């Protein structure tokens, strides 16, 4: 096994795929971006849009050479904006008002 030399792991896998990982065995802090759209007055994860947003976030991380989770807060593609009040240290929530 190869040692990971990072303090953070940004989880951009779908929930189904990430369930295959035993996260208790990982040393880095896991940060999961979550993308929610407003629908009927409430924010919900809409899987079609969330999948696209995870790909866009991956591109954003690579192109901007993001090294720490707080760098994710500047992501603003397709109308998504970091929602600090809905976020935690483990889950960074991005919301938008149109799908």
């Amino acid at each position: 096994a190869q040692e990971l030399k990072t303090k953070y792991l940004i989880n951009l896998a779908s929930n189904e795929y990430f369930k295959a990982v035993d996260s208790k065995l990982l040393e880095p802090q896991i940060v999961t971006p979550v993308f929610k759209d407003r629908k009927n007055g409430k924010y919900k994860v809409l899987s079609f849009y969330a999948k696209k947003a995870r790909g866009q976030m991956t591109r954003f991380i690579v192109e901007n050479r993001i090294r720490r989770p707080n760098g994710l807060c500047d992501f603003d593609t397709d109308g998504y904006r970091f929602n600090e009040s809905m976020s935690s240290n483990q889950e960074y929530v991005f919301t938008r008002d149109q799908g």
Side-chain angles (χ1 to χ4, degrees):
Q2 194 172 11
E3 185 177 328
L4 223 75
K5 295 182 180 181
T6 183
K7 292 182 181 180
Y8 309 101
L9 175 69
I10 307 303
N11 170 24
L12 287 164
S14 67
N15 288 337
E16 293 77 19
Y17 278 106
F18 198 69
K19 286 178 185 175
V21 175
D22 188 350
S23 58
K24 294 177 196 123
L25 297 177
L26 299 175
E27 287 185 29
Q29 175 187 340
I30 300 169
V31 176
T32 303
V34 178
F35 301 93
K36 296 185 176 188
D37 287 84
R38 185 185 290 273
K39 185 174 181 177
N40 300 326
K42 295 181 180 180
Y43 286 110
K44 298 180 181 184
V45 174
L46 302 178
S47 61
F48 175 80
Y49 297 114
K51 180 178 182 177
K52 182 178 178 187
R54 288 194 309 269
Q56 292 169 322
M57 173 70 77
T58 301
R59 180 182 199 127
F60 174 81
I61 291 168
V62 171
E63 288 180 347
N64 294 284
R65 299 178 186 206
I66 303 299
R67 309 272 305 159
R68 302 193 187 292
N70 63 355
L72 302 176
C73 300
D74 294 330
F75 179 81
D76 64 353
T77 304
D78 276 357
Y80 284 105
R81 300 278 185 274
F82 178 65
N83 188 319
E84 187 174 3
S85 66
M86 293 177 76
S87 297
S88 69
N89 288 337
Q90 295 82 31
E91 199 172 82
Y92 281 29
V93 178
F94 295 82
T95 57
R96 69 175 176 176
D97 293 327
Q98 53 197 353

